[in-house]
Amino acid sequence: MLNNSSKTRAELKAHCESLSGVHLRGLFSDDPGRAKRLSLSFGGLYYDFSKQRLTSETLRLLAALAEESGVGDAIRRMFAGERINPSEDRPALHVALRRSSGPFPDAGFNVMPEVAATRERMAALAGQLRGGGHDTPHIRDVVNIGIGGSDLGPKMMTYAMRSIAHPTLRVHYVSNLDGAQLAPLLQTLDPRTTLFIVVSKTFTTQETLINAQTARDWLVSNLGDAAVIQDSFAAVSSNVEKAVEFGIAPERIFPIWDWVGGRFSLWSAVGLALMIAIGPRAFDEMLRGAERMDEHFRTTPFEQNLPVVMALIGVWNTNFLGAATSAVLPYNESLRYFPPFLQQLEMESNGKSTGIDGRRLDEPASPVVWGELGNNGQHAFFQFLHQGGRLTPCDFIVAARSDYPLPNHHEALLSNCFAQSAALAFGRTEDETRASMEMLDPDRVRELLPHRMFSGNQPSSTLLLSALTPENLGALIALYEHKTFVQGRLWGINSFDQWGVELGKSLAGRILPAVREPERALALDASTQELLAFSRHYLL
Ligand code: F6P
């Protein structure tokens, strides 16, 4: 972490020790105003962090740590378009993608004309497809072929907003190199009414190219004419040359720029399939929600600044309380794909142990981010959260209004979500546990008591959305993007590069020829040779 020897950090350590014997039960009973004070709201979002193991004093000290670590300056530099990604020598301008007016970052280097022109082209294609326009054949299925940031964000948002999606146009996402994802999908599609969108910033990603080639072969073998590719494909890429080489018509290629990282790109043409699903107007509302969050982030003092507070709480849990993981537990079915999206956002950004200056960090940065739909998790791994004995901070996320009108489902869902965070925080004391077993005989009570007690004191926050509107969802994603950036700054790392994904890719390139040709395996390590030898027996 930055300033490992700073006075504030030492104060925080001492403060942390002073809280070591304190239980969330005590913090709540000693302070009736706690829930109101340790919560923030912004638009349709309400963030309750009163069940974290901290006090107002903790927050004050953490905000001082943020000041000292240069978080304010980092925010200013990002919005000024400075090259805050030094290892790739780029700015990080994803906030430009949701701007509604004015030049950005400044008149000298204004990316807005290109951004606006791309948004218009996206809206024109989305409008045509949604309205079944004259110059486009009637498309019934849209298949987004991409992986990582070219898949997770748009897929997550498409699912999150499926209640407002076009009623007959189906949007699918294919990412996995395993043909077991694409092959069964192709069996359900009609080649005459399917549009493939190949989304790859680099247009060199193996998974995406192999899936795209298979889709192209399928089209040609069904329609018998290579020319159909021009009508059946679109692309989103910064590598126009490669996309054209693949056979995509230049007017069907949408740009993406080097100043936006894949995991921050759903607001760009990377979100084309999403826009086709929900329509240009809802897409725009999503951008407005994100833009409002950007403004809040840029201008609000740290202790009331939602992304900053969220980042500070994460750092408190990781670096002071010693949590190794952080769980995200959405309760709405429509947020099913939020955990994998967040895993890429946080762990590809901050899963690092080298500082921005190239020096090794004293401690690794990001915790493990994991999660699942909360209600399903209750019947699977929540046992571990309640009694597993490991500190596991959780983010509960739920919308107060259901996106499908079945109130009895939603009332029960909300009560489960709120019950779990209360159970984790407050646990069940010995007396309460005894009282819950008053019908049993005393020997059985003695036997069961240790198994049925809950120590509590598990920290969590609850992020409550008024509803899963495009605007709230835009704000939610921008919130987590900025949280990730602030944490990167606090840990002293560059959140915008991802060198750690490279080694495996280049090794896969070396191993591929050896999959079929044993003599090519000789230069590989012994374990890989054995794995290949076994695999060769079964390869088709
Ligand atoms: O391998 C990681 C990564 O580069 C991600 O950062 C990115 O989102 C993903 O692959 C896809 O990259 P592309 O859009 O260039 O195909």
Side-chain angles (χ1 to χ4, degrees), residues 137-143 170 172 184-196 215 218-219 222-223 232:
H138 189 69
I139 294 292
R140 286 208 301 259
D141 292 273
V142 173
V143 183
R170 291 176 295 258
H172 317 266
L185 175 64
L186 291 178
Q187 285 169 8
T188 69
L189 300 175
D190 179 341
R192 291 161 307 177
T193 57
T194 299
L195 175 73
F196 293 95
W218 173 79
L219 275 175
N222 277 284
L223 300 178
S232 307

Side-chain angles (χ1 to χ4, degrees), residues 153-304:
K155 180 170 80 178
M156 178 265 298
M157 285 299 224
T158 302
Y159 199 71
M161 289 187 256
R162 80 215 136 95
S163 68
I164 57 161
H166 190 281
T168 55
L169 249 178
R170 291 176 295 258
V171 174
H172 317 266
Y173 288 85
V174 172
S175 56
N176 199 342
L177 196 44
D178 188 346
Q181 190 180 21
L182 180 57
L185 175 64
L186 291 178
Q187 285 169 8
T188 69
L189 300 175
D190 179 341
R192 291 161 307 177
T193 57
T194 299
L195 175 73
F196 293 95
I197 308 178
V198 186
V199 185
S200 177
K201 190 174 151 184
T202 53
F203 223 85
T204 58
T205 302
Q206 185 190 42
E207 293 84 345
T208 301
L209 293 186
I210 291 183
N211 277 320
Q213 279 151 12
T214 301
R216 186 177 60 185
D217 294 348
W218 173 79
L219 275 175
V220 174
S221 71
N222 277 284
L223 300 178
D225 179 2
V228 296
I229 294 167
Q230 303 261 326
D231 294 329
S232 307
F233 268 92
V236 180
S237 187
S238 61
N239 195 343
V240 177
E241 207 182 317
K242 281 259 182 255
V244 170
E245 213 175 278
F246 180 87
I248 297 171
E251 63 278 11
R252 283 288 186 97
I253 302 172
F254 293 80
I256 167 96
W257 304 274
D258 69 353
W259 44 256
V260 55
R263 52 195 176 273
F264 297 89
S265 67
L266 79 91
W267 325 96
S268 69
V270 168
L272 181 57
L274 166 65
M275 188 194 268
I276 292 168
I278 63 171
R281 187 185 298 172
F283 194 88
D284 197 57
E285 284 164 21
M286 177 189 83
L287 297 182
R288 296 293 67 77
E291 185 182 29
R292 281 186 197 115
M293 182 56 75
D294 295 340
E295 220 26 41
H296 165 81
F297 177 54
R298 197 177 65 78
T299 57
T300 309
F302 287 169
E303 285 182 56
Q304 286 87 49

Side-chain angles (χ1 to χ4, degrees), residues 77-82 91-98 104-105 109 111 259-261:
R77 292 182 63 217
M78 179 169 80
F79 282 92
E82 290 185 26
L93 298 183
H94 46 285
V95 294
L97 299 167
R98 48 246 192 174
F104 190 85
F109 172 43
V111 300
W259 44 256
V260 55

